[in-house]
Amino acid sequence: MTSNKKLLILPGDGIGPEVMRQVYRVVEWFDRKRIVRFDTAEGLVGGAAYDSAGTPLTDETMAQAQAADAILFGAVGGPKWEKLPFAVRPERALLRLRKELGLFANLRPAIVFDPLIGASTLKPEIVRGLDIMILRELTGGVYFGEPRGIETRADGTRRGVNTQVYTTSEIVRVGRVAFELGRKRKNKVCSVEKANVMESGELWREEMQTLHDADYPDVELTHMYADNCAMQLVRNPKQFDVIVTDNLFGDLLSDCAAMLTGSLGMLPSASLGEADSTGRRKALYEPVHGSAPDIAGKDMANPLACMLSFAMMLRHSFDMTEQADMVDAAVRNTLERGMRTTDIMQTGTARVSTSVMGDTLLRELDKLA
Ligand code: NAD
């Protein structure tokens, strides 16, 4: 039995605690079955932390996050805190965690589960069996580049400036994550930029190719322009396995890929930092959805995005492939049994609550153990 994997759980606001409760049950299940024991700690984050301590993330919680092997994050925000000054808004907690943990690689899988194929706006034959990974560089590029700002010119008109900038080291570190992910998947990486019109894109392409040739020649590497990638994602998404791209293009392409699946309540994500000397990376796992104040407290939220984020944690932080596959299979089987929360409801299926979805998932895990 493996033990002492330090896990920090930050449920947050709105439906965050509701979906996280179901993940807790799975953590306890793994412990009960003597498969793995996590050393778990829980903290307040977002509006909940503001209400208790006047800040969306206390220094103590930040220190716990620095010491953790992985962080599982629910969601933050809600109408109660919308009027707060920008510096103490719930969302600032996530930005601080990303910044101080150096989380530069954002992983967003887009998986179409057969029972939910009707939720996609694309034809079933285009998306059936889809399982791709978008890897977005998260801390560089045009969202952070200098100079930036809005200036007023001598003639009274204004000029807005942002700078797209990448260095070799920023490209190489996200490239390594891409090739390593590729090796765990179908061994195919597509690197995406606009090398035809942007020098930063030209550098991106050259550095990816150099890294590939030096350290990852066993992985298939292709290059694609971002506009073509957007088109290919809706034309024939199954041609891809791992797509690696910069912050700006990744922002757009990951949302586009997510919507191939059609359901926000099913989308997990991970953000990874630099590897330390043991190969362990700082890592935060969270569902893509927000705190859903419209359904909070009603036992209606879909817990599966949070559950799939937990499965990503098993896979990427702890190399527990078999256990991650089990959680993924339990999610798949829960859907096969016709269990649906309101957001993924279809005719001929049963509308169930968050907790009943959790009950079913545990029963499916029992069958797989
Ligand atoms: P949202 O994702 O919270 O909700 C959008 C819609 O999807 C709502 O109708 C909601 O009911 C539904 N939905 C979302 N997740 C669901 C789930 N698991 N099960 C069933 N239905 C689900 O986005 P929003 O409404 O734009 O934002 C609400 C709050 O969440 C805001 O305060 C926003 O700032 C915050 N937010 C936080 C994060 C985060 O914590 N990472 C991300 C996005 C938004």
Side-chain angles (χ1 to χ4, degrees), residues 15 19 73-79 81-82 90-91 94 98 264-266 286-296 300-306 341-344:
I15 63 167
V19 294
F73 187 96
V76 291
W81 304 284
E82 256 162 26
E91 294 75 9
L94 199 49
R98 282 185 186 153
L264 189 55
M266 296 293 303
E286 57 173 330
V288 169
H289 62 71
S291 59
D294 53 332
I295 58 164
M300 279 171 68
N302 185 347
L304 297 183
C306 199
T341 40
T342 308
D343 58 310
I344 50 172

Side-chain angles (χ1 to χ4, degrees), residues 92-203:
R92 298 294 296 176
L94 199 49
L95 296 181
R96 181 173 177 201
L97 282 164
R98 282 185 186 153
K99 184 161 184 260
E100 294 189 22
L101 298 172
L103 305 176
F104 65 88
N106 183 235
L107 283 64
R108 293 255 303 254
I111 298 169
V112 170
F113 293 92
D114 259 8
L116 296 183
I117 204 159
S120 176
T121 49
L122 268 67
K123 293 187 192 120
E125 61 269 28
I126 303 290
V127 292
R128 180 169 288 113
L130 181 77
D131 179 357
I132 62 175
M133 177 75 81
I134 311 277
L135 173 56
R136 164 188 172 192
E137 199 291 326
L138 200 58
T139 54
V142 74
Y143 294 160
F144 297 95
E146 299 281 348
R148 62 185 299 159
I150 300 176
E151 63 193 30
T152 303
R153 299 191 296 184
D155 66 0
T157 61
R158 296 193 300 160
R159 180 169 176 266
V161 180
N162 289 94
T163 304
Q164 166 79 340
V165 53
Y166 272 106
T167 60
T168 298
S169 61
E170 285 174 314
I171 300 167
V172 166
R173 67 182 185 174
V174 75
R176 285 199 188 283
V177 176
F179 292 122
E180 278 156 28
L181 270 174
R183 279 183 177 159
K184 287 188 184 173
R185 295 172 52 95
K186 295 183 195 132
N187 233 20
K188 262 171 71 170
V189 171
C190 178
S191 169
V192 171
E193 26 55 17
K194 288 280 286 178
N196 49 343
V197 287
M198 295 167 75
E199 285 76 7
S200 60
E202 203 179 314
L203 181 76

Side-chain angles (χ1 to χ4, degrees), residues 8 10 43-50 53-65 71 73 76 87-98 100-101 284:
L8 177 64
L10 301 174
L44 295 175
V45 72
Y50 177 81
T55 167
L57 185 73
T58 62
D59 291 342
E60 294 73 43
T61 310
M62 189 63 233
Q64 277 182 299
I71 301 157
F73 187 96
V76 291
V88 288
R89 291 247 184 97
E91 294 75 9
R92 298 294 296 176
L94 199 49
L95 296 181
R96 181 173 177 201
L97 282 164
R98 282 185 186 153
E100 294 189 22
L101 298 172
L284 182 144

